[in-house]
Amino acid sequence: MSEPVIEAVRLTKVYKDFWGRPRLTAVDGLSFQVARGEIFGLIGPNGSGKTTTMKLLLGLITPTSGAARVLGRPSTDVATKARIGFLPEESYLYRFLNADETLDFYARLFHLDRPTRRSRIDALIRRFGMERARKRPLREYSKGMVRRISFAQALINDPEIVFLDEPTSGLDPISSRDMKDLILDLKSRGKTVFLSSHLLADVQAICDRIAIVHEGTLKQYGAVRDILVRKDHISMTFRNLSEETRKKLEALAAQEGASLVASDHTLETLEDVFLRTVQGDGASKP
């Protein structure tokens, strides 16, 4: 693996009560790395520590112990923030502004000059298909349109890394597909995407690697295919195999002239792996 652009090293976050006594361990010794240019998914049930982990990586909160690094620097490093984009789960935008005004507002926060602002705003408006609605106030937008303009503001600084929290949550199938295409487009342009989602089919479809967390600890971590493969199952596809011999063993079928088209380990769905992981480490595969 090349030099990681995101790294968690024994990351731990303990929330304390008013008296300073440990109340909740939200993240417990979490370690993983994200390579440049990949789409990395963080998944887990509610209360598993996903949001806390993302806040630690964004430098919004500090760890109790361990380290969070982004682009080789501590996640709290202010200069690094200019190279990061963030789409939160809930969009908090000024609803009286239109799309152009919203993007211009965020572009000014990054001290972009006027020509750069105009160029990037026009490009993002086109990319997200908002040309017809760009002058309408956000209060007239549908949830899908608000999600699009929120995603656009996360890209206004042309970030190297984009953090996405539930990017397709609440979207209809068409908007969800468009959102996934936009994420894949970021990867094709060399961006690194770190996303958290409850929609496991979306994660399975677009992520290169994933981490499954439960009760603050890391349960599964690696390439999507490596995690989903069923090494105790083999799937085979034959050509010209009669119904009579369909139930016979591969060797017998080959003797009768059937050609083996494909043979590979069976893949589970990410939902299967996820449920087995969080419902019990000792659960055997069916």
Side-chain angles (χ1 to χ4, degrees), residues 192-212:
T192 303
V193 179
F194 184 100
L195 68 88
S196 172
S197 178
H198 285 102
L199 301 179
L200 302 183
D202 292 347
V203 175
Q204 182 175 342
I206 64 177
C207 287
D208 300 300
R209 295 190 306 131
I210 59 172
I212 301 177

Side-chain angles (χ1 to χ4, degrees), residues 4-285:
V5 295
I6 300 173
E7 186 175 18
V9 182
R10 298 183 296 278
L11 200 57
T12 300
K13 181 63 177 179
V14 179
Y15 289 104
K16 299 181 180 181
D17 62 17
F18 177 80
W19 305 104
R21 297 171 300 191
R23 178 175 57 86
L24 172 68
T25 301
V27 176
D28 189 4
L30 204 60
S31 295
F32 59 82
Q33 295 180 336
V34 180
R36 185 178 296 278
E38 75 172 335
I39 302 175
F40 187 92
L42 181 68
I43 60 176
N46 291 333
S48 61
K50 301 190 307 298
T51 298
T52 300
T53 299
M54 187 168 285
K55 287 181 178 179
L56 289 166
L57 294 173
L58 288 165
L60 300 177
I61 58 177
T62 57
T64 303
S65 63
R69 302 191 188 98
V70 178
L71 295 168
R73 302 286 299 167
S75 61
T76 52
D77 182 69
V78 175
T80 304
K81 301 294 190 292
R83 302 162 67 187
I84 294 174
F86 175 43
L87 172 65
E89 180 177 2
E90 295 292 335
S91 301
Y92 301 98
L93 303 175
Y94 295 108
R95 296 175 60 80
F96 57 86
L97 298 179
N98 61 35
D100 282 76
E101 292 166 340
T102 297
L103 295 181
D104 188 70
F105 171 79
Y106 284 100
R108 287 172 182 269
L109 295 180
F110 290 101
H111 305 291
L112 302 180
D113 59 59
R114 181 177 175 82
T116 302
R117 294 202 307 271
R118 286 273 33 107
S119 174
R120 291 188 184 177
I121 290 170
D122 288 342
L124 288 169
I125 290 290
R126 287 193 301 270
R127 180 183 297 174
F128 284 86
M130 303 289 289
E131 293 97 327
R132 294 184 179 180
R134 65 189 302 168
K135 298 301 182 183
R136 289 167 51 192
L138 268 56
R139 62 174 174 269
E140 298 179 3
Y141 281 17
S142 66
K143 183 170 183 178
M145 294 168 68
V146 170
R147 205 66 180 145
R148 285 171 179 266
I149 204 64
S150 299
F151 200 161
Q153 67 82 21
L155 303 180
I156 193 66
N157 58 323
D158 192 23
E160 297 178 42
I161 302 175
V162 184
F163 287 86
L164 306 174
D165 193 1
E166 300 291 346
T168 59
S169 177
L171 298 183
D172 62 69
I174 295 176
S175 296
S176 180
R177 177 68 261 180
D178 289 344
M179 193 69 74
K180 287 183 284 187
D181 288 342
L182 288 165
I183 294 172
L184 291 170
D185 178 60
L186 289 175
K187 177 185 175 180
S188 71
R189 295 192 291 118
K191 309 295 185 182
T192 303
V193 179
F194 184 100
L195 68 88
S196 172
S197 178
H198 285 102
L199 301 179
L200 302 183
D202 292 347
V203 175
Q204 182 175 342
I206 64 177
C207 287
D208 300 300
R209 295 190 306 131
I210 59 172
I212 301 177
V213 294
H214 183 45
E215 296 179 345
T217 62
L218 186 66
K219 298 297 185 180
Q220 294 260 18
Y221 168 54
V224 172
R225 178 176 172 79
D226 292 344
I227 289 177
L228 301 186
V229 69
R230 290 292 303 264
K231 295 185 178 179
D232 58 341
H233 286 53
I234 295 292
S235 177
M236 295 181 290
T237 303
F238 291 97
R239 182 183 292 115
N240 301 325
L241 188 65
S242 67
E243 185 67 26
E244 180 182 355
T245 60
R246 199 160 67 118
K247 297 181 180 180
K248 295 182 179 180
L249 298 175
E250 177 184 342
L252 179 60
Q255 292 176 9
E256 297 187 358
S259 57
L260 183 62
V261 176
S263 177
D264 200 357
H265 291 289
T266 300
L267 288 179
E268 295 184 277
T269 66
L270 184 54
E271 183 177 18
D272 292 335
V273 175
F274 175 81
L275 292 175
R276 188 178 66 253
T277 297
V278 302
Q279 290 178 348
D281 296 336
S284 60
K285 294 184 178 182

